[in-house]
Amino acid sequence: MDAFFASVELLRYPQLKGLPVVIGGGRRNVDDRLLQSPDGSGPRDPRFIPVSDFPLLKDYVGRGVITTATYPARQFGVGSAMGMMKAARLCPQAIVLPVDFDEVRRYSRAFKAAIVEIAPVMQDRGVDEVYIDFTEVPGGQREGGRVLARLIQKSIFDKTGLTCSIGVAPNRLLAKMASEFNKPNGISVVYEEDLQALIWPLHVRKINGIGPKAGEKLAGLGIHTIGELAAQDPQWLMARFGKSTGAWMHRVAWGQDDSPVVTESEPVSMSRETTFDRDLHAVRDRAELSRIFTDLCVRLAQDLQRKGYAARTIGIKLRYEDFKIATRDQTSEAHIADAASIRQLAGQCLKRVPLDKRLRLLGVRASGLARRGQERAAVATVGPDAPPRPAAAGAAARRQRDPVGSMDTGQLF
């Protein structure tokens, strides 16, 4: 989907089309006031709010990162995952809006429903991305798949008012890269014979699976493009990146990917995290940290329950003021999905991390997931490499009957 989070907001505020808009940061009082009439007479129609009333990025105070930005904002160098303060220096005149997750999820479900009506073999890859197998769809091979891609674009737009960009290729690896070639609202078809002309000139980071660390290491070895990676001897890559990773790098540089489009897949984990507006101290800001910590656990429990899962392992993530990260996890004897048990296990994790520095970020993660009703079978399949921890399990089981508010406040926060 094209600038999905921003595009959803432009449906609500069509007067902002063509303007630099960024979505991100925390929700502020100014965002709530925007929807109220200046005279206090009640809510006003979002479509008719004057552009001059919208909050600007230059006035944003606090932390947070950009979720996405409209294409006019991207022309100034603003992009996803960029810090709000850095973005404000690049494009101070941009309008800034918070993320409306409920609305985003609603449109996500709508555009995916439009796709499966046409091409039912679809793999969900998050809120704004999917893989689709055209192989058995009638007309799926016409013009190399371009005809079906146009039909999908039209169906999504007719039902949601949103645009998307589609890459069509022999496999998922190349299709994902192709989907970035002609944004927004574009279609790009890549054939096997296009590998050297279209794929090899791209930077190695364009390969899904090569992250910042691997990209930096490759750059240190003088490898910047996919073509340069393809030119390396497989044994040379395996000696430097390990047998499995080195062999994989060579294959993908040659456009080889046999991973199927999987219509149903189980999530590995679920998490909730937040970046604070200011660095918080574990002692002096204990009350605020406790409130945030509990809220994260409650929201994580709601996610698990809404999607029908229970978790066996709960973990935490801390980012300190110096940007160093600490993670810990605790495994329960039984699967859990309630906020009280999640907070109890997460609290046990907190006792095992240093809290002598201020904190920038706090997160809670659930893994070892099982469908509700299938927890016993999932536990039975766990091998000796992941033994249960009965002490934590007993505490979690006792807390399962208690509301969040009655939990032990003697924890670190």
Side-chain angles (χ1 to χ4, degrees):
M1 301 301 289
D2 296 324
F4 185 53
F5 287 70
S7 298
V8 168
E9 290 302 317
L10 293 183
L11 294 176
R12 192 196 325 247
Y13 304 114
Q15 64 271 44
L16 301 183
K17 287 183 178 179
L19 299 178
V21 178
V22 299
I23 310 297
R27 189 170 190 88
R28 301 171 294 160
N29 291 333
V30 66
D31 300 313
D32 296 323
R33 291 197 301 270
L34 179 68
L35 298 173
Q36 300 298 317
S37 298
D39 59 4
S41 59
R44 54 179 173 172
D45 191 324
R47 297 171 299 170
F48 302 115
I49 298 174
V51 172
S52 59
D53 286 4
F54 285 84
L56 299 180
L57 189 55
K58 68 181 179 66
D59 299 320
Y60 186 90
V61 177
R63 292 237 177 80
V65 297
I66 290 175
T67 302
T68 194
T70 59
Y71 291 95
R74 295 182 188 190
Q75 293 176 3
F76 292 88
V78 175
S80 301
M82 178 180 289
M84 299 290 284
M85 295 297 97
K86 180 179 180 180
R89 292 192 295 271
L90 294 173
C91 189
Q93 74 276 23
I95 290 165
V96 58
L97 296 170
V99 177
D100 185 338
F101 286 106
D102 289 338
E103 195 74 347
V104 165
R105 292 188 189 102
R106 185 170 73 86
Y107 276 99
S108 179
R109 290 191 294 268
F111 92 76
K112 292 168 186 175
I115 292 172
V116 296
E117 289 180 359
I118 299 170
V121 182
M122 182 194 78
Q123 180 173 350
D124 196 327
R125 289 290 297 170
V127 72
D128 64 346
E129 180 181 349
V130 299
Y131 288 112
I132 314 162
D133 191 339
F134 281 9
T135 307
E136 303 299 330
V137 181
Q141 307 307 311
R142 291 177 58 194
E143 296 183 23
R146 190 180 298 273
V147 171
L148 187 58
R150 285 198 202 102
L151 179 61
I152 289 173
Q153 279 185 326
K154 183 178 185 304
S155 179
I156 289 174
F157 184 80
D158 289 346
K159 294 184 178 181
T160 68
L162 298 169
T163 66
C164 66
S165 296
I166 300 177
V168 188
N171 56 50
R172 298 195 326 170
L173 170 79
L174 298 178
K176 181 171 176 61
M177 286 191 275
S179 69
E180 301 286 339
F181 286 172
N182 196 19
K183 275 184 168 288
N185 200 30
I187 297 172
S188 300
V189 179
V190 173
Y191 298 92
E192 290 182 7
E193 56 267 29
D194 295 327
L195 182 69
Q196 295 185 27
L198 298 181
I199 303 300
W200 279 5
L202 301 177
H203 195 277
V204 290
R205 287 290 310 281
K206 291 294 183 180
I207 295 176
N208 187 30
I210 295 184
K213 290 184 178 179
E216 186 177 333
K217 185 174 180 179
L218 286 167
L221 295 169
I223 301 170
H224 303 278
T225 68
I226 297 175
E228 290 169 345
L229 182 60
Q232 306 306 313
D233 181 85
Q235 297 299 323
W236 186 85
L237 289 171
M238 287 188 278
R240 285 153 182 80
F241 292 92
K243 185 175 181 180
S244 176
T245 300
W248 170 82
M249 282 183 169
H250 192 262
R251 286 199 309 274
V252 295
W254 281 89
Q256 298 171 10
D257 174 29
D258 57 3
S259 57
V261 173
V262 181
T263 56
E264 293 184 10
S265 60
E266 299 291 340
V268 176
S269 65
M270 297 184 195
S271 63
R272 285 281 187 168
E273 64 180 43
T274 185
T275 300
F276 310 134
D277 290 335
R278 61 182 180 89
D279 294 341
L280 298 179
H281 192 278
V283 176
R284 291 189 288 275
D285 300 302
R286 177 175 173 175
E288 185 174 358
L289 279 167
S290 180
R291 177 187 59 78
I292 294 170
F293 190 44
T294 298
D295 180 63
L296 289 172
C297 293
V298 169
R299 288 192 285 158
L300 180 57
Q302 291 171 344
D303 292 342
L304 287 166
Q305 293 165 15
R306 184 178 65 253
K307 296 180 180 180
Y309 286 92
R312 191 154 179 257
T313 299
I314 301 298
I316 62 165
K317 173 183 175 182
L318 305 179
R319 180 176 290 132
Y320 298 104
E321 57 187 336
D322 59 4
F323 289 90
K324 291 184 178 178
I325 293 175
T327 60
R328 298 290 188 275
D329 60 66
Q330 191 85 9
T331 299
S332 170
E333 191 175 72
H335 284 80
I336 58 174
D338 63 289
S341 298
I342 290 172
R343 195 186 194 284
Q344 176 65 25
L345 284 186
Q348 294 295 319
C349 297
L350 271 179
K351 295 178 180 179
R352 295 159 43 212
V353 293
L355 294 171
D356 54 341
K357 293 181 288 188
R358 291 179 178 272
L359 302 173
R360 294 177 58 89
L361 174 146
L362 177 61
V364 183
R365 178 175 180 267
S367 59
L369 304 184
R371 287 279 185 185
R372 300 302 297 270
Q374 301 176 10
E375 296 95 329
R376 287 183 179 274
V379 172
T381 62
V382 176
D385 293 335
R389 299 181 183 178
R398 289 193 299 273
R399 295 296 179 188
Q400 196 161 357
R401 298 186 296 272
D402 299 334
V404 172
S406 69
M407 288 191 299
D408 177 17
T409 58
Q411 299 181 68
L412 296 178
F413 53 77

